Amino acid sequence: DGTVALASRFDPDAGLTESVRTIAGERYRFNADCFFQINHELVAPLVEAATRDAEGATAVDLYCGVGLFTLPLARRFARVTGIEGNPSACSYARRNLADAQLANAVIERSGVGEWLTRHADEHAPVDFVLLDPPRAGLEDKAAGGLLALEPSRIAYVSCDPATLARDLKILTSRGYQLESLQAFDMFPQTHHVETVARLIRSE
């Protein structure tokens, strides 16, 4: 179900308008302090492409934002850990999980590279890693930390083909092969494109 429902209300505590989006059956709250995909008609297909066939015991959602992918992953995996550095996004991700009554996922507020440096070894191996980084791609030390998680599968959601190509070169040189690549024209008649790369461990 790719139905998108839109709503907004003013949050006097934050001094910002709080938006609510229901996408593919999941409800997400967020405000202007948080990132959220703006082309709402393509968000459901984007989420489906990134999470399809993903299931198992453990998943890690890097740069998880307000939980766009965390919620559907929590319905497919026994335990999900979301990592996000933005405090407002962290708060909303926890709230969105609570609203959905999903108690098997936790959100940790941290820079992704920092979290991976501290915790990758204790979480490894994991069944699935999803990452949706900003335009700069994987931050310093994050690629090594991602590999230290030893995921069986990876879904990389990217908004910049150049940094995606750079990061895929690292991953494919370290035991992963590209399984599929799917592009979404989130901003028609511009050069911007959202891409979902799916990788599988080949070693």
Side-chain angles (χ1 to χ4, degrees):
D1 178 9
T3 303
V4 179
L6 313 178
S8 297
R9 71 173 184 86
F10 183 72
D11 181 355
D13 293 331
L16 295 168
T17 297
E18 180 182 90
S19 296
V20 183
R21 301 290 183 267
T22 301
I23 298 168
E26 303 288 1
R27 187 174 70 166
Y28 303 94
R29 299 177 185 271
F30 59 94
N31 64 24
D33 281 340
C34 312
F35 171 80
F36 200 83
Q37 292 286 354
I38 195 168
N39 187 332
H40 299 124
E41 296 301 324
L42 286 181
V43 176
L46 180 74
V47 172
E48 169 59 24
T51 61
R52 63 176 169 78
D53 303 328
E55 61 181 3
T58 54
V60 176
D61 185 6
L62 303 175
Y63 311 95
C64 71
V66 301
L68 177 62
F69 300 102
T70 319
L71 270 66
L73 288 176
R75 300 191 186 280
R76 298 164 177 254
F77 289 86
R79 181 166 53 88
V80 178
T81 304
I83 315 302
E84 173 57 49
N86 180 298
S88 294
C90 282
S91 295
Y92 273 109
R94 292 172 182 139
R95 184 176 174 187
N96 292 331
L97 285 164
D99 287 348
Q101 298 182 339
L102 293 168
N104 61 321
V106 296
I107 304 297
E108 299 196 19
R109 179 183 166 190
S110 174
V112 166
E114 179 185 354
W115 185 88
L116 288 169
T117 298
R118 295 197 320 261
H119 299 296
D121 289 342
E122 68 192 60
H123 282 74
V126 299
D127 295 316
F128 187 73
V129 169
L130 189 147
L131 61 151
D132 184 10
R135 190 168 299 279
L138 282 167
E139 61 195 78
D140 288 347
K141 302 180 181 178
L146 169 57
L147 290 163
L149 283 172
E150 301 176 23
S152 298
R153 292 180 176 270
I154 299 170
Y156 189 141
V157 182
S158 170
C159 61
D160 187 279
T163 55
L164 174 64
R166 179 200 68 199
D167 294 340
L168 288 182
K169 183 176 181 181
I170 296 171
L171 296 174
T172 55
S173 70
R174 296 285 300 277
Y176 289 86
Q177 65 182 46
L178 187 60
E179 187 178 41
S180 66
L181 198 66
Q182 189 170 354
F184 294 84
D185 191 7
M186 303 293 276
F187 300 95
Q189 301 182 32
T190 75
H191 68 281
H192 297 287
V193 62
E194 201 85 7
T195 306
V196 177
R198 297 289 300 266
L199 299 101
I200 186 168
R201 190 165 61 196
S202 56
E203 293 182 351

